[in-house]
Amino acid sequence: MGVLKDGDISVGVVWEAAASGVVGRYRVSNAGAAEVYVFDRLYRTAVTGFRTVDPDYAWHWLEADGVFRVAKFVPRVPTGMKVESPEVAYARVLAAGGVLEGRVLLAGRLDQDLPYGTPPPLAAVGKIKSIVFSVGYAEVDPQAEANEIKAGDEMVLSLPYGWLIEQQKIVSAEQQALTVPMQR
């Protein structure tokens, strides 16, 4: 097992905006000697409780100064909230020296969607000014219970929430200028 160092994991994204939506194509790179879990497979939950992994889904919200954050990670359960099943992003393994690719699809007029139904920190604006992508990751730990789950054409890993929330780190791409309207 290698040792993960700061700066070993990086992410870059190319954004394309059209009237029908915004597409972000990202690449997570591992320059280090350790394998990592990348928490970039979120799911949607039906009213019946059935989870469907959606590889193109990400949480997204407006931050200060018109920056629109798009993120895939394992969120903490909000203080004071009791949940039966925490929001846990599924993982893919990124080998040492390797690259994982993925994409994010957002509606043409951006909305805000945060885990646990958390209200957005800011009200929508006419148009965002810039966009940034973040993703969660953690060094692979052979002692962590990782369960394989078939999600479409790929296998993803489910890991225990307690382990995930303690081990996860977040890496962000460079903020990029992008002017896109928001839903009000």
Side-chain angles (χ1 to χ4, degrees):
M1 186 164 114
V3 176
L4 194 61
K5 297 182 216 132
D6 287 343
D8 282 353
I9 307 302
S10 62
V11 63
V13 63
V14 175
W15 295 102
E16 297 172 28
S20 61
V22 176
V23 178
R25 297 184 193 290
Y26 62 89
R27 291 174 51 101
V28 182
S29 301
N30 182 354
E35 283 187 320
V36 297
Y37 297 119
V38 176
F39 307 120
D40 71 337
R41 292 301 189 245
L42 303 183
Y43 57 85
R44 296 186 188 261
T45 305
V47 292
T48 60
F50 184 75
R51 292 179 176 175
T52 303
V53 176
D54 183 347
D56 299 329
Y57 178 62
W59 288 296
H60 42 280
W61 64 93
L62 185 65
E63 292 183 333
D65 301 326
V67 176
F68 196 72
R69 173 83 51 186
V70 179
K72 295 182 174 219
F73 65 102
V74 179
R76 286 194 177 277
V77 174
T79 304
M81 181 180 280
K82 295 198 184 295
V83 297
E84 195 171 300
S85 179
E87 296 278 353
V88 177
Y90 295 114
R92 296 189 292 162
V93 174
L94 174 55
V99 172
L100 276 181
E101 295 182 338
R103 72 177 183 180
V104 175
L105 300 177
L106 303 169
R109 291 184 61 81
L110 300 176
D111 61 352
Q112 299 188 75
D113 188 8
L114 286 104
Y116 300 107
T118 305
L122 298 173
V125 294
K127 293 182 180 207
I128 66 163
K129 297 176 184 169
S130 62
I131 192 166
V132 67
F133 177 72
S134 300
V135 67
Y137 69 93
E139 184 172 346
V140 168
D141 179 351
Q143 303 303 312
E145 274 185 53
N147 297 311
E148 282 193 331
I149 297 172
K150 182 145 178 64
D153 295 335
E154 69 180 345
M155 295 300 285
V156 295
L157 299 170
S158 173
L159 291 129
Y161 174 78
W163 183 88
L164 289 169
I165 210 66
E166 294 302 320
Q167 300 302 315
Q168 175 180 245
K169 296 180 181 179
I170 306 283
V171 64
S172 297
E174 293 289 320
Q175 182 176 313
Q176 294 178 22
L178 185 69
T179 304
V180 179
M182 283 191 75
Q183 293 181 16
R184 287 195 190 228

